[in-house]
Amino acid sequence: QSDEPFRLVVTHLEPPLVPSSVMDLALTLGYFEREGVDVELVRVQQTPSALAALQSGDGDMANIGVDALLQAIAVGADDLRAVTSPNKSLPFLIAAKDSVAAPSDLEGAVFAIGRIGSVDHSLSAEVFDTLGVDIDSMQLFSVGQPNVRAQALAAGQVDATTMSIGTWVSLPDRAGLHVLIDQDAYYAAAPVVSKVNAVPASVLAERPEDVEAVIRALIRISRDFAADPQLWVDAMAEALPHVDRQTLETLAPSYAGSWSINGGMSAAELRETTDWLYRTADFAGMTAPSLDAWVDFGPLDAVLAEVGIVDGADPADR
Amino acid sequence: MTPTHPTIRFAGVSKAFRQRDGSSIQAVQAIDLDVPARQFVAVVGPSGCGKSTLLRLADGLITPDMGTVTIDGAAPVPGPRIGFVFQNFRLLPWRSVLDNVGFALEGSGYSPPDRRDRAMAQLRKVGLEAWADQYPAQLSGGMKQRVALARALVGDPDILLMDEPFASLDAQTRELMQEDLLRLHAERQPTVLFVTHSVDEALLLADRIIVMGRGAVLDDIEVDLPRPRSIEGLQGLPAYATLRARLWSQIRHLVLSDPASAFFGRQPG
Amino acid sequence: MTPTHPTIRFAGVSKAFRQRDGSSIQAVQAIDLDVPARQFVAVVGPSGCGKSTLLRLADGLITPDMGTVTIDGAAPVPGPRIGFVFQNFRLLPWRSVLDNVGFALEGSGYSPPDRRDRAMAQLRKVGLEAWADQYPAQLSGGMKQRVALARALVGDPDILLMDEPFASLDAQTRELMQEDLLRLHAERQPTVLFVTHSVDEALLLADRIIVMGRGAVLDDIEVDLPRPRSIEGLQGLPAYATLRARLWSQIRHLVLSDPASAFFGRQPG
Amino acid sequence: MIGSREERVASPWLVAVTRLGFLLLLLALWWIASQLVSRNVIPTPLATAEAAARLWADGRLAAAVLTSLGTYLGGFALAVLVALPLGIVMGAFGLLGRTLEIYVYALAATPRVAFIPLIIVLLGLGIEAKLFVVFLGAVMPIVINTYAGVRQADVDLVEMAHSVGAGRAQIFRAVVLPGAVPYILAGLRIGATIGLINTVVAELYTAVTGLGGLLALYGNSFRMAEYFVVVLTLAVIGVLVTELLRLLEAHLTRWST
Amino acid sequence: MIGSREERVASPWLVAVTRLGFLLLLLALWWIASQLVSRNVIPTPLATAEAAARLWADGRLAAAVLTSLGTYLGGFALAVLVALPLGIVMGAFGLLGRTLEIYVYALAATPRVAFIPLIIVLLGLGIEAKLFVVFLGAVMPIVINTYAGVRQADVDLVEMAHSVGAGRAQIFRAVVLPGAVPYILAGLRIGATIGLINTVVAELYTAVTGLGGLLALYGNSFRMAEYFVVVLTLAVIGVLVTELLRLLEAHLTRWST
Ligand SMILES: Nc1ncnc2c1ncn2[C@@H]1O[C@H](COP(=O)(O)OP(=O)(O)OP(=O)(O)O)[C@@H](O)[C@H]1O
Ligand SMILES: Nc1ncnc2c1ncn2[C@@H]1O[C@H](COP(=O)(O)OP(=O)(O)OP(=O)(O)O)[C@@H](O)[C@H]1O
Ligand SMILES: [Mg+2]
Ligand SMILES: [Mg+2]
């Protein structure tokens, strides 16, 4: 075991208004400490930086997109393993101008995506598909980062785009905009695991107790929040004094089923996610790896053996 | 253009320059001087006495701290009608010899081919026709000086302000240029202020010689020698010898009496 | 330092400069010239005939295209033991007058206070002690030339290469500087190459006069006038008049016979 | 430049040879690095060359280069058109220059990314926004160097020009600008390189297109060989533009020996 | 500089007044813009001032400034230490300069973002990586301007220095460098501004800290008043550093009248 702090790399700069806030709150509320692990949060902007941090040894665990992890593994970073997922389903929604009343109105309109083949593009295509709308009937516009997409929508430069609910609620002025497809409908249409916490093999080998302690702390805090949403509201209000408490109160119930009470790692869901991703354009021509090539259930199972599995929450099938 | 014949007048003119240490140098001090139309005035005096400053004042390039400089009653306006030969040539390094000379005509409504022709004619007069397309960096010191001369003369100036214009020329070329300048003066009769270090040159060329010392006019000598003059012709005249001796002793006195000079108090060798 | 007395030797030296249009100018052509130790040699000749080029070759600043330049048998190595007065002063604008003079000593092992003292002493000799802390931009033309002179002399050079060193000085200061130079030569006996435009100056100072024309040595005249010399003293001597006339007509001939010159074929005025 | 006046010009052949030698050295270093750094972060030169051939063959690279070049050259041209007059005017009118300079520096020191939201609102996501981002990056170095160059004008030559009666405009054209040429060209070089960088920034932060888009694509999917091809393409464009500027400079300063 | 020699220096008081006047003009324009542009993209000056007071009071801004300044000044200092010698050597040895210049331009034209993954893998997320990003941005303008300045050395003065027997080092110190000062200082100015921009880039793309972190934070959550405070803080730092460089320049060129 090392005396060094355990560096957990996250891709947000302050506790986000979504369930992945458990990583920040577990630190401020002392969950990590209670599990005996000295966690240091390292904040980066985007998944590529987080991945690079894992590879350089400057991070021990990173919360990253599944697509990026699979890409990295596909090109040779084959010692990375997903061990848990505090935010398996990012609460995405599709927001649009008021003039776009129904998804079918988007035909011929401008729809902003990150870029051709990116996850938000593929996910949105899937969502529109289940609603009977062909995404290719829209003018797709590659705009990049989520906040830029939101700005472009707010500025009236595009007609609709995909964003997380956190981004949506932090938009300062939503006049003239509305939610076209909400997060539940979105997830129902495209049920894929979007983010996982990954660790390199070296950390798994050298600091297994720390990895387990982190997973344990995240499960404990998720269970506490699931049991009492008001706890999350209080903690967030403290962490983000500038956010309207009313907003937090509205958001809290919508996350009722989103907390990763059992670690957020369902083998079936992960397998589906792999298959789905490998059908998208970004992975064209590659063969999907088996689950054990990128997931290690070991640490999570050890934790679950200790804290027990809660039925009716996120499945812990293997 | 038909020549006009302006009068230059300095009335109580003083000019100081600030120095690094905050003090100032009085370059020119309470100068009263009238240069009547058509007169050829030579200015002599020891190094640093304010000769170049006087010329810059006359061209309106600097303005006096006190007093006024006027040309025919108005403040001087620099332009090609006032030809200025600077002590340090000041050629534009990025222009050919020809274009350096032509530069003096650019503001004055000549067509480009006209400008070329006049500049070329002037270059011919200073013996540099063959160098028209070269750049200044390729000229010898004397050649640069001749380009500067050509530039000052190309506008047919009514006033000539010349700061040691022949200093870098060999004796013979200098003599020939002096002849040309005398001829020019006889023909067009510009008003001339001519700084020189050579007493002989001053006596050969000028109607009148101003002796400057430490920023002031110390003597003002009418040169009543017969024209046309030549060095050989002058040397026989007693008046020439008298004037020469007077000027010589004036400057000697100035140099030896300046307590700041290394030669202060030294006896003539 | 005790003076040494080097010999400068030019053997078949030619040097051409490329021009913009691709052709070249033969600045110096097949020059054979021996300057024995301690000799004071003046170089005269029309503008652009290669005098400055000759001096730069002697200092090793440029290398000949053909032939060799040697000082006591070896290629010349520039340094403070060869004092060079450039025609265009070349002062460092960002250094004070004192530090410009001191610059010549910086490579040669003097301590900084030593350097200051020597530079100051040299400034005193050219009458600019009071200007030690000023920058070149604040000096008149003649003052700049005196700073350049001081810089060339501060290293107690064994060889002096002087390119019209007194051209910007007033007549009297020039005379006093000439006296100082003659005294220096009598005492330390450096070997001197002295470019001048003044035939009188050449005759006053030199043991021997080289007449150059179009890159070549055209005449080589022993000046067997008695020393110590003074202008006044010389003027009475018949030998002086003869030499003067000879030089004068040589240069006149050169200027008037150059087909590229404006004065080509002109009759003496 | 040191060495006697005569040693100043290296022969073009020699330069070509030493440049090539240095290139080989870089390639060797690159190869070694590709072997040493783990996890395929650095592709081998060979893999990169193959990727380049592939990208060139399917026309993607060429299309991206064309798109990016349009943005780049357009924005750079705008920057030149604004920066030269501004730098000149600031240098010419001392008070104006001293007044504006701190604002110029302030603007120069503010990250372009910081303006992106504003730019999107005002100019949208299209070519206008991109041109503006390139413009913003390239304009400052040109202004700063032009300003410095104009202030350095030779006072003796300016006085000479006054003495022949030249007007302000003529003094600028004939005396001040030619003297400022080396400054302006150094400024153009820096502006050209930063403009290229900002082309990529613009393509990443407004509508994703061109070489910036390819960079994002290959970067996010860790296709490092392709990624390197894009990076090297950018470097080559940078070299071409700055070499053109060198030719321009050689032409403008042909008077100096 | 135009106008006769004597009109060249504007009084510091006058400059202060005109600068202030321009500032008021900018504030007025800002206010108008904040009213015209929809959706709170531009906060009012007042809202920004309040946000500044808030950020200052809770110590966040000061802490971020300190963090960023450390990165910035460290990286800039490194850049100066490398760029000056490199620019000088390139200018001094013609062949070396001509050989290296294209590689320098190539590097200068390659977006820093493109190197970020490599930098993180090799240097991590910490201060080393950040210093390196700042260094990369600041080094090129300084090299390019120093190189240009050294090549512009006055050949007459260099020949004079040779004639007094000065060695290479002395010629550099006494002749070439003083002559290149205006170039070097313009290069330092540009380098300082780009270094500051790259500080933000570094803080955005490696471990998020300092002012770059605040910028991302407020940008992502659309808190525009706070966002503007950070942008203005960056601008002020840029102005302070370039004004310091101006004082340095005035000191180094005090010889020119
Ligand atoms: N750097 C150069 N490039 C091209 N040509 C040059 C260069 N230096 C000198 N020349 C040419 O070489 C010839 C001789 O020049 P040099 O300076 O030696 O003449 P000079 O005798 O000193 O003349 P002056 O008395 O006018 O100073 C001239 O024709 C000149 O144009
Ligand atoms: N720009 C300036 N700044 C400061 N002082 C100056 C400036 N120009 C001239 N001076 C000073 O003014 C005085 C007169 O200078 P000026 O150039 O008029 O002398 P001069 O008579 O032409 O001398 P010379 O014969 O040596 O050329 C000198 O003491 C000089 O130092
Ligand atoms: Mg003078
Ligand atoms: Mg000469």
Side-chain angles (χ1 to χ4, degrees):
Chain A
Q1 254 353 81
S2 161
D3 293 334
E4 298 274 297
F6 189 86
R7 282 163 305 179
L8 174 56
V9 184
V10 296
T11 54
H12 48 247
L13 310 177
E14 60 184 357
L17 295 169
V18 290
S20 45
S21 54
V22 289
M23 287 181 284
D24 305 72
L25 298 178
L27 185 66
T28 51
L29 300 181
Y31 282 83
F32 290 133
E33 204 180 329
R34 260 169 270 147
E35 300 302 332
V37 56
D38 174 19
V39 167
E40 179 189 323
L41 277 191
V42 177
R43 302 184 181 280
V44 301
Q45 272 254 87
Q46 297 162 352
T47 291
S49 298
L51 257 172
L54 283 187
Q55 308 201 333
S56 73
D58 248 22
D60 299 309
M61 177 188 282
N63 181 248
I64 55 178
V66 173
D67 58 321
L69 176 62
L70 286 171
Q71 290 275 16
I73 289 174
V75 299
D78 49 13
D79 65 331
L80 298 180
R81 291 292 181 275
V83 293
T84 185
S85 173
N87 52 341
K88 61 172 187 168
S89 58
L90 260 197
F92 280 129
L93 52 77
I94 291 177
K97 287 182 183 172
D98 282 348
S99 56
V100 181
S104 55
D105 293 346
L106 273 173
E107 268 182 40
V110 178
F111 187 76
I113 56 175
R115 60 182 166 74
I116 303 294
S118 63
V119 179
D120 70 283
H121 176 202
S122 311
L123 281 176
S124 303
E126 190 92 7
V127 171
F128 283 123
D129 199 39
T130 61
L131 297 172
V133 180
D134 181 4
I135 197 170
D136 291 328
S137 69
M138 309 172 196
Q139 302 178 48
L140 292 183
F141 210 1
S142 303
V143 177
Q145 298 298 310
N147 60 321
V148 181
R149 297 203 301 266
Q151 259 148 3
L153 178 67
Q157 305 285 349
V158 300
D159 295 314
T161 190
T162 303
M163 66 181 77
S164 81
I165 187 165
T167 304
W168 171 251
V169 298
S170 50
L171 270 178
D173 176 8
R174 297 191 289 270
L177 305 177
H178 70 120
V179 175
L180 184 66
I181 297 168
D182 69 16
Q183 68 271 26
D184 294 335
Y186 196 102
Y187 185 70
V192 298
V193 178
S194 48
K195 285 195 137 186
V196 290
N197 282 14
V199 293
S202 57
V203 173
L204 271 179
E206 287 157 24
R207 310 179 69 172
E209 289 88 356
D210 285 345
V211 174
E212 282 172 29
V214 168
I215 295 173
R216 204 157 50 232
L218 292 178
I219 288 180
R220 290 230 151 97
I221 191 173
S222 299
R223 289 180 179 189
D224 289 350
F225 285 165
D228 181 4
Q230 204 55 42
L231 271 183
W232 182 73
V233 174
D234 292 342
M236 288 298 281
E238 169 114 21
L240 304 176
H242 60 94
V243 174
D244 184 15
R245 194 176 175 93
Q246 191 54 45
T247 308
L248 296 171
E249 302 274 7
T250 351
L251 283 174
S254 68
Y255 295 147
S258 308
W259 306 104
S260 291
I261 288 175
N262 293 324
M265 301 283 278
S266 152
E269 283 175 12
L270 291 170
R271 221 171 270 120
E272 269 173 44
T273 302
T274 322
D275 294 342
W276 182 82
L277 276 175
Y278 273 78
R279 286 198 303 273
T280 63
D282 268 8
F283 289 83
M286 301 192 239
T287 39
S290 66
L291 214 49
D292 61 357
W294 68 279
V295 180
D296 188 340
F297 291 110
L300 177 58
D301 286 345
V303 171
L304 288 176
E306 198 183 327
V307 302
I309 294 177
V310 178
D311 292 329
D314 55 306
D317 60 296
R318 295 292 177 260
Chain B
M1 266 177 260
T2 43
T4 62
H5 306 287
T7 305
I8 311 172
R9 178 161 295 162
F10 295 83
V13 172
S14 294
K15 178 75 190 177
F17 292 105
R18 288 188 71 78
Q19 286 193 289
R20 290 298 320 157
D21 52 22
S23 68
S24 5
I25 284 284
Q26 198 65 39
V28 147
Q29 192 147 230
I31 293 223
D32 288 301
L33 178 68
D34 267 25
V35 183
R38 301 160 203 228
Q39 202 169 51
F40 194 126
V41 176
V43 182
V44 299
S47 176
C49 71
K51 304 180 294 293
S52 298
T53 307
L54 191 77
L55 259 53
R56 288 165 70 207
L57 285 163
D59 199 10
L61 295 175
I62 51 178
T63 46
D65 299 332
M66 281 191 293
T68 54
V69 181
T70 53
I71 292 182
D72 283 346
V77 179
R81 308 291 291 177
I82 309 182
F84 202 131
V85 184
F86 291 94
Q87 204 171 356
N88 53 351
F89 318 153
R90 304 195 184 177
L91 304 183
L92 297 172
W94 39 81
R95 287 206 175 199
S96 70
V97 164
L98 184 69
D99 291 344
N100 261 287
V101 177
F103 183 59
L105 298 178
E106 275 177 28
S108 25
Y110 290 97
S111 72
D114 236 37
R115 227 150 58 199
R116 262 193 83 86
D117 291 348
R118 295 183 65 95
M120 196 53 112
Q122 201 62 52
L123 272 183
R124 198 172 305 127
K125 289 195 192 153
V126 298
L128 288 175
E129 204 179 3
W131 295 81
D133 293 329
Q134 304 301 322
Y135 288 93
Q138 301 172 304
L139 304 186
S140 76
M143 292 156 104
K144 285 180 197 161
Q145 187 160 50
R146 285 182 280 155
V147 177
L149 256 169
R151 182 179 60 201
L153 295 174
V154 73
D156 275 342
D158 305 320
I159 295 180
L160 271 171
L161 305 172
M162 308 178 92
D163 203 346
E164 310 181 33
F166 305 142
S168 300
L169 302 179
D170 61 281
Q172 182 60 36
T173 303
R174 183 174 190 148
E175 197 179 306
L176 294 163
M177 294 290 233
Q178 287 167 345
E179 282 171 20
D180 285 358
L181 182 59
L182 279 179
R183 191 168 321 118
L184 175 82
H185 189 249
E187 281 166 16
R188 297 185 41 92
Q189 298 188 299
T191 313
V192 183
L193 263 176
F194 186 100
V195 172
T196 177
H197 288 142
S198 161
V199 171
D200 290 330
E201 186 170 63
L203 286 168
L204 175 71
L205 299 174
D207 301 318
R208 179 178 163 203
I209 299 176
I210 302 293
V211 182
M212 283 185 76
R214 289 192 248 157
V217 172
L218 298 183
D219 202 357
D220 189 339
I221 303 172
E222 211 65 38
V223 185
D224 43 10
L225 299 170
R227 287 186 188 267
R229 304 176 191 157
S230 72
I231 295 276
E232 292 77 17
L234 289 179
Q235 265 161 357
L237 301 176
Y240 174 75
T242 320
L243 280 173
R244 195 169 186 280
R246 173 167 165 197
L247 282 165
W248 202 250
S249 82
Q250 293 250 16
I251 305 177
R252 164 158 308 207
H253 175 73
L254 278 170
V255 171
L256 299 185
S257 73
D258 183 351
S261 154
F263 309 111
F264 179 52
R266 193 194 285 191
Q267 289 314 308
Chain C
M1 265 177 262
T2 43
T4 61
H5 306 287
T7 304
I8 311 173
R9 178 162 296 163
F10 295 82
V13 171
S14 294
K15 178 76 190 177
F17 292 104
R18 288 188 71 78
Q19 286 193 290
R20 288 300 318 159
D21 51 22
S23 68
S24 10
I25 283 285
Q26 197 64 38
V28 147
Q29 193 147 233
I31 293 223
D32 288 301
L33 178 67
D34 267 24
V35 184
R38 302 166 200 214
Q39 203 168 52
F40 193 127
V41 176
V43 182
V44 298
S47 177
C49 70
K51 305 180 294 293
S52 299
T53 307
L54 190 77
L55 259 53
R56 288 165 70 208
L57 285 163
D59 199 9
L61 295 175
I62 51 179
T63 46
D65 300 332
M66 281 191 293
T68 54
V69 181
T70 52
I71 292 184
D72 284 344
V77 178
R81 308 292 290 176
I82 309 181
F84 201 132
V85 184
F86 291 94
Q87 204 171 355
N88 54 351
F89 317 153
R90 305 197 182 175
L91 305 184
L92 297 172
W94 40 80
R95 288 206 175 199
S96 71
V97 163
L98 184 68
D99 291 344
N100 261 287
V101 177
F103 183 59
L105 297 177
E106 274 177 28
S108 25
Y110 290 96
S111 72
D114 236 36
R115 226 149 60 197
R116 260 191 86 85
D117 291 348
R118 294 182 67 94
M120 195 53 110
Q122 201 62 51
L123 272 182
R124 198 172 304 129
K125 288 193 193 154
V126 298
L128 289 174
E129 204 180 3
W131 295 80
D133 293 330
Q134 304 301 322
Y135 288 94
Q138 301 172 305
L139 304 186
S140 76
M143 291 156 107
K144 283 181 198 160
Q145 187 159 51
R146 285 182 280 156
V147 178
L149 257 168
R151 183 180 58 201
L153 295 173
V154 73
D156 275 341
D158 303 321
I159 294 180
L160 270 171
L161 305 172
M162 307 178 94
D163 203 347
E164 308 180 35
F166 304 143
S168 300
L169 301 180
D170 61 280
Q172 182 61 37
T173 302
R174 182 172 192 151
E175 197 180 304
L176 292 164
M177 294 292 236
Q178 286 167 344
E179 281 171 22
D180 284 358
L181 181 59
L182 280 178
R183 190 167 321 117
L184 175 83
H185 189 251
E187 281 167 16
R188 297 185 41 93
Q189 298 188 297
T191 312
V192 183
L193 264 176
F194 186 99
V195 173
T196 178
H197 288 141
S198 161
V199 171
D200 291 329
E201 186 171 65
L203 286 169
L204 175 70
L205 298 174
D207 300 319
R208 179 178 163 201
I209 298 176
I210 302 294
V211 181
M212 283 185 74
R214 290 193 246 156
V217 173
L218 298 183
D219 201 358
D220 188 338
I221 305 172
E222 210 65 39
V223 185
D224 43 10
L225 298 170
R227 288 186 187 268
R229 304 177 191 156
S230 71
I231 296 278
E232 292 77 16
L234 289 179
Q235 265 160 357
L237 300 176
Y240 173 75
T242 320
L243 280 174
R244 196 167 185 280
R246 172 167 166 198
L247 281 166
W248 204 249
S249 81
Q250 292 250 15
I251 305 178
R252 161 158 311 206
H253 174 74
L254 279 169
V255 171
L256 299 184
S257 72
D258 184 350
S261 154
F263 309 111
F264 178 54
R266 194 194 286 189
Q267 289 315 307
Chain D
M1 180 71 65
I2 292 253
S4 83
R5 267 175 216 252
E6 307 189 311
E7 314 162 354
R8 293 177 62 214
V9 187
S11 101
W13 283 106
L14 188 58
V15 170
V17 168
T18 56
R19 282 182 176 178
L20 200 70
F22 196 75
L23 184 63
L24 293 177
L25 179 72
L26 285 183
L27 282 175
L29 287 178
W30 176 8
W31 186 80
I32 294 173
S34 74
Q35 299 302 306
L36 290 183
V37 177
S38 57
R39 298 169 193 279
N40 297 334
V41 175
I42 303 182
T44 62
L46 192 64
T48 309
E50 286 166 5
R54 213 156 51 234
L55 286 178
W56 189 255
D58 74 3
R60 253 183 130 149
L61 189 59
V65 166
L66 278 186
T67 311
S68 294
L69 266 189
T71 309
Y72 172 42
L73 296 180
F76 184 54
L78 277 179
V80 173
L81 285 181
V82 170
L84 286 185
L86 181 60
I88 289 171
V89 166
M90 282 175 61
F93 304 93
L95 182 59
L96 186 74
R98 298 275 283 116
T99 303
L100 291 186
E101 61 177 29
I102 58 166
Y103 299 100
V104 169
Y105 296 138
L107 190 57
T110 326
R112 251 47 88 196
V113 240
F115 295 115
I116 298 274
L118 219 62
I119 292 173
I120 292 179
V121 170
L122 299 176
L123 297 174
L125 297 163
I127 184 74
E128 297 88 349
K130 290 190 173 59
L131 287 176
F132 189 67
V133 173
V134 177
F135 166 83
L136 266 186
V139 76
M140 291 306 160
I142 310 179
V143 171
I144 292 176
N145 261 19
T146 305
Y147 178 47
V150 169
R151 284 194 308 153
Q152 278 307 111
D154 184 323
V155 284
D156 275 2
L157 291 182
V158 170
E159 189 178 71
M160 180 279 289
H162 269 136
S163 87
V164 304
R168 261 177 192 270
Q170 200 194 339
I171 292 182
F172 257 108
R173 205 174 32 72
V175 182
V176 177
L177 277 191
V181 157
Y183 282 88
I184 294 176
L185 271 133
L188 288 178
R189 285 212 183 86
I190 302 174
T193 58
I194 298 184
L196 191 53
I197 292 177
N198 274 36
T199 305
V200 172
V201 170
E203 290 179 332
L204 288 174
Y205 285 89
T206 61
V208 177
T209 55
L211 291 170
L214 290 187
L215 216 50
L217 173 63
Y218 299 130
N220 289 343
S221 54
F222 305 99
R223 278 185 268 164
M224 296 316 279
E226 282 85 352
Y227 190 80
F228 263 57
V229 171
V230 180
V231 169
L232 290 180
T233 306
L234 286 166
V236 168
I237 295 177
V239 167
L240 289 181
V241 171
T242 49
E243 276 291 288
L244 283 180
L245 288 173
R246 202 181 61 72
L247 293 182
L248 179 64
E249 176 163 29
H251 176 73
L252 289 176
T253 59
R254 62 193 179 287
W255 50 269
S256 71
T257 20
Chain E
M1 181 71 65
I2 293 253
S4 82
R5 266 174 218 251
E6 306 189 312
E7 312 161 358
R8 292 178 62 216
V9 188
S11 101
W13 282 108
L14 189 57
V15 170
V17 169
T18 56
R19 282 182 176 179
L20 200 70
F22 196 75
L23 184 63
L24 293 177
L25 179 72
L26 285 183
L27 282 175
L29 287 177
W30 176 9
W31 186 80
I32 294 173
S34 73
Q35 299 302 307
L36 291 184
V37 177
S38 58
R39 294 182 193 280
N40 302 330
V41 175
I42 303 183
T44 62
L46 191 65
T48 308
E50 286 166 4
R54 213 157 49 234
L55 287 178
W56 189 256
D58 74 3
R60 250 182 134 153
L61 189 60
V65 166
L66 279 185
T67 312
S68 294
L69 268 188
T71 308
Y72 172 42
L73 296 180
F76 184 53
L78 276 178
V80 173
L81 285 180
V82 170
L84 286 185
L86 181 59
I88 289 172
V89 167
M90 282 174 62
F93 303 94
L95 182 59
L96 186 75
R98 299 273 284 115
T99 303
L100 290 186
E101 60 177 31
I102 59 166
Y103 299 101
V104 168
Y105 296 138
L107 190 57
T110 328
R112 251 49 87 195
V113 239
F115 295 117
I116 297 271
L118 213 63
I119 292 173
I120 295 181
V121 170
L122 297 176
L123 297 174
L125 292 168
I127 184 75
E128 297 87 349
K130 290 189 173 63
L131 287 177
F132 189 66
V133 173
V134 177
F135 165 84
L136 265 187
V139 76
M140 290 307 160
I142 311 179
V143 171
I144 292 176
N145 261 19
T146 305
Y147 179 45
V150 168
R151 284 193 308 153
Q152 279 307 111
D154 183 323
V155 284
D156 276 1
L157 291 183
V158 170
E159 188 177 71
M160 180 280 289
H162 269 136
S163 87
V164 303
R168 261 176 194 270
Q170 201 194 339
I171 292 182
F172 257 108
R173 205 174 33 73
V175 182
V176 178
L177 277 192
V181 156
Y183 283 87
I184 294 175
L185 270 134
L188 288 178
R189 285 211 184 87
I190 302 174
T193 58
I194 298 183
L196 191 52
I197 291 177
N198 275 36
T199 305
V200 171
V201 170
E203 290 178 333
L204 288 175
Y205 285 89
T206 63
V208 176
T209 53
L211 290 170
L214 291 186
L215 210 55
L217 177 61
Y218 299 130
N220 289 350
S221 55
F222 307 100
R223 278 179 271 166
M224 296 315 279
E226 282 85 353
Y227 189 79
F228 262 57
V229 172
V230 180
V231 171
L232 291 179
T233 305
L234 286 165
V236 168
I237 295 177
V239 167
L240 289 180
V241 171
T242 49
E243 278 290 287
L244 283 179
L245 289 172
R246 202 181 60 73
L247 292 182
L248 178 64
E249 176 165 28
H251 176 72
L252 289 176
T253 58
R254 63 193 179 286
W255 50 269
S256 71
T257 19

